[in-house]
Each structure stands twice: as C-alpha cells, then as structure tokens.
Amino acid sequence: MTLPLAVLLALAGVARAEAAWRITTPYQGNPLKVAVLSGEGTASGNHFPASLEFSCHPGAAVPRVVLRVPVMVADWDFHAYDSSGSGSVSLRRRFLKIMAANRRVIDRPVYTGIAGDNASFMFSWQPNEALLARLTRRQDGVQVVLDGLRRNQGNMQAHFVIPADASLMLSVLRPCSGALSGQKGAASDAK
C-alpha cells in the first residue's frame, strides 16, 4: 500500500468514527480536568479543527466552557475579540450564539476571549442549563456561531456532534452540580 493511500484510508476512518468525549488534565499537580469534544469550524470558506472544552475547578464550583479555534483563520482578527485588550468588543456586544441542530438559539452568552496556547484563540463562558441538557441527550449536534465584526465578514461556525455517552463530560462537571441547578435556560427555550 502506498503512503498516500494509507493516509486517505486513515482519514476516512477518522471521518466515520463516532464522536466521543476526551478527558485531559492540562496542569500537572492540579485537580482540574477538562472534557473535550472535537468538531469542525468554517469561516470565509476555510475549514479548520475546533473544540468545545468543559471544565469545573473543584475549588471554584463554577462550570466553564471554552470554544478553541486556531488563530490562523483567514479574514479573522482575533485581537479584536481579546477581552484583555483595550480595543475589545466582546464586553460591549454579544457576537456569540449557541444553537441546536434545528437552528434554535440555546444561549447568547457573555464571553471572554483570550489567546491560548499552540496558536489558538479561546472564547470562554459559563454554560446555561439548556446547553448542558443538550449535551446529555444524543442530538444531531450543537453549533457555535460567532458573528464577524464587519458586515461583509460573515460569521465563523463550529459544529459539534453530540456523543451517545455523556458520562465522561458529566464526571468532569460533577463538582459544579450545585451551581448548575440554579442557572436559567436561554430565553428562546422558555415556553
């Protein structure tokens, strides 16, 4: 078998693989665990890997979710979304939407944006009950949409397929179970 054919077969196997949560421990000697769900992003006609990362630091008991994307996405100036910069727009306007597979809005969170490691950018927010409920039921997926800063820029989208087994993600968020029960769902989910 030639090398290019082997690479194509390996990629085909990855494409057919079922979605699954992966647990990481980003800091040695720290109890923080992160449940990571891999997905695909698109912007300006480009496709790139994206991830949703759920965590709950046992000491803080506050859940967090991070959308991580590469900073080398064409036509996107992530510095404008950086919450630590003086020119940040993220604290003045909401550009981020979390949507169900049927395009129903689950949440419009207020987020912080910051440069991450390995040439990535991270959008971080506290998840609401509507999002967490979707992650515990097998659905078609969840989509995160980030509106561009200019009208002609379009938007960046990241799509994630919900794994059949949510037990790993729930084990990571277990220390935050008290904080999760008090959060409200998105207004669009209210009847």
Side-chain angles (χ1 to χ4, degrees), residues 19-169:
W21 291 102
R22 179 173 46 92
I23 304 298
T24 65
T25 51
Y27 309 108
Q28 186 175 0
N30 188 314
L32 180 68
K33 292 183 181 177
V34 180
V36 180
L37 183 60
S38 296
E40 181 181 38
T42 59
S44 305
N46 299 302
H47 296 270
F48 51 87
S51 65
L52 271 182
E53 304 172 3
F54 290 81
S55 64
C56 172
H57 194 286
V62 176
R64 296 301 297 174
V65 61
V66 169
L67 169 66
R68 186 184 300 262
V69 296
V71 293
M72 293 180 237
V73 176
D75 295 336
W76 282 88
D77 176 16
F78 287 102
H79 296 294
Y81 296 94
D82 193 330
S83 300
S84 63
S86 60
S88 172
V89 295
S90 62
L91 298 178
R92 294 187 301 232
R93 292 177 54 192
R94 291 184 179 187
F95 292 97
L96 192 65
K97 289 184 288 206
I98 316 302
M99 303 174 77
N102 64 2
R103 308 287 293 169
R104 183 176 174 183
V105 175
I106 298 172
D107 196 6
R108 293 179 188 269
V110 175
Y111 64 89
T112 57
I114 191 164
D117 55 353
N118 298 324
S120 68
F121 194 83
M122 303 181 306
F123 297 92
S124 175
W125 66 94
Q126 187 172 353
N128 68 1
E129 283 183 9
L131 173 59
L132 295 173
R134 287 227 171 249
L135 297 175
T136 59
R137 301 186 313 255
R138 185 170 175 87
Q139 300 286 331
D140 291 333
V142 171
Q143 188 171 19
V144 181
V145 179
L146 178 69
D147 292 336
L149 297 176
R150 300 181 309 272
R151 290 180 195 254
N152 63 348
Q153 188 175 25
N155 60 31
M156 180 173 62
Q157 300 180 15
H159 179 75
F160 301 91
V161 175
I162 305 300
D165 183 6
S167 60
L168 285 175
M169 185 269 300

